[in-house]
Amino acid sequence: NAGVTQTPKFRVLKTGQSMTLLCAQDMNHEYMYWYRQDPGMGLRLIHYSVGEGTTAKGEVPDGYNVSRLKKQNFLLGLESAAPSQTSVYFCASSYTRFQGEAFFGQGTRLTVV
Amino acid sequence: KNEVEQSPQNLTAQEGEFITINCSYSVGISALHWLQQHPGGGIVSLFMLSSGKKKHGRLIATINIQEKHSSLHITASHPRDSAVYICAVGRGSNYQLIWGAGTKLIIKP
């Protein structure tokens, strides 16, 4: 099993460009999450989904959109990238609503210049 | 003040030492989690606690609900234990997690 796979692993964007990060899980999990991790700070939840076709805002949703058209995929979109969105992004999925038991992807390092 | 505080922020120890990492929180919680983030970035769940103590191999996690404090202990530490250890607390009906900033542990051979 691949677990949780994120693509791409690295990306450099220019300010104003858009991009989509893909998260795929093969564990049939209902719950999926997108986090960002910045130096010296804990992970912050951007958006999450409790099942196919559902999405909800997390702690820091502004500037991001998400979609969960298929149960196994959770997409994170940046509409117009800003330097403040330079971060490491983690996707995770869980069988239960307990995010702390989630399985995490390897992360995507995004730099916006 | 952060709702979840970890100490120390950084810890360097020699192989074989007993390690303690602390987590204090200021909010009511339903459970507390310890996770490990390896240098490559991967994050792995270690424990979920709502009371008492849990043990897995050389790792022991304890929680004191009254004092709003948890500790993660590593016995007979090894260089492969070098990682960032993260505490997170779950609360609310949607069980949103509040994450600590992590403790960076380096074990020297």
Side-chain angles (χ1 to χ4, degrees), chain A residues 57-86:
Chain A
K57 293 180 179 180
E59 183 184 353
V60 288
D62 293 342
Y64 305 96
N65 58 73
V66 288
S67 64
R68 184 109 181 258
L69 298 179
K70 293 183 178 181
K71 187 176 184 178
Q72 62 268 34
N73 295 336
F74 195 29
L75 278 63
L76 177 71
L78 280 71
E79 300 153 345
S80 178
S84 60
Q85 293 178 304
T86 293

Side-chain angles (χ1 to χ4, degrees), chain B residues 13-91:
Chain B
Q14 291 296 131
E15 183 173 356
E17 287 188 34
F18 181 82
I19 304 298
T20 296
I21 299 170
N22 298 299
C23 176
S24 296
Y25 53 92
S26 57
V27 296
I29 68 169
S30 48
L32 181 143
H33 299 268
W34 282 102
L35 303 97
Q36 180 190 54
Q37 184 172 22
H38 278 284
I43 299 173
V44 176
S45 176
L46 297 175
F47 296 104
M48 182 174 82
L49 292 161
S50 54
S51 65
K53 174 180 172 179
K54 286 190 176 179
K55 183 176 189 291
H56 186 260
R58 295 180 294 105
L59 300 178
I60 303 165
T62 64
I63 188 168
N64 185 317
I65 297 293
Q66 287 73 29
E67 294 186 3
K68 295 186 175 176
H69 180 268
S70 176
S71 293
L72 177 69
H73 305 287
I74 305 175
T75 62
S77 60
H78 189 277
R80 65 175 176 265
D81 297 325
S82 298
V84 175
Y85 291 85
I86 304 171
C87 168
V89 300
R91 61 194 303 259

Side-chain angles (χ1 to χ4, degrees), chain A:
Chain A
N1 284 345
V4 178
T5 303
Q6 288 181 234
T7 53
K9 290 185 171 45
F10 303 93
R11 185 73 187 267
V12 178
L13 282 181
K14 293 184 178 179
T15 298
Q17 286 185 318
S18 63
M19 78 163 292
T20 300
L21 281 68
L22 171 64
C23 178
Q25 53 96 2
D26 60 3
M27 295 171 283
N28 203 34
H29 286 167
E30 292 292 339
Y31 299 82
M32 296 188 75
Y33 317 91
W34 275 108
Y35 295 95
R36 60 178 290 172
Q37 185 178 41
D38 300 295
M41 300 180 69
L43 274 75
R44 292 184 289 171
L45 184 65
I46 305 171
H47 286 279
Y48 64 100
S49 168
V50 300
E52 181 179 317
T54 75
T55 63
K57 293 180 179 180
E59 183 184 353
V60 288
D62 293 342
Y64 305 96
N65 58 73
V66 288
S67 64
R68 184 109 181 258
L69 298 179
K70 293 183 178 181
K71 187 176 184 178
Q72 62 268 34
N73 295 336
F74 195 29
L75 278 63
L76 177 71
L78 280 71
E79 300 153 345
S80 178
S84 60
Q85 293 178 304
T86 293
S87 188
V88 180
Y89 291 85
F90 285 96
C91 174
S93 71
S94 63
Y95 180 71
T96 70
R97 63 190 177 95
F98 297 107
Q99 296 173 38
E101 293 187 318
F103 291 80
F104 284 78
Q106 289 298 307
T108 296
R109 185 173 294 275
L110 175 66
T111 302
V112 182
V113 297

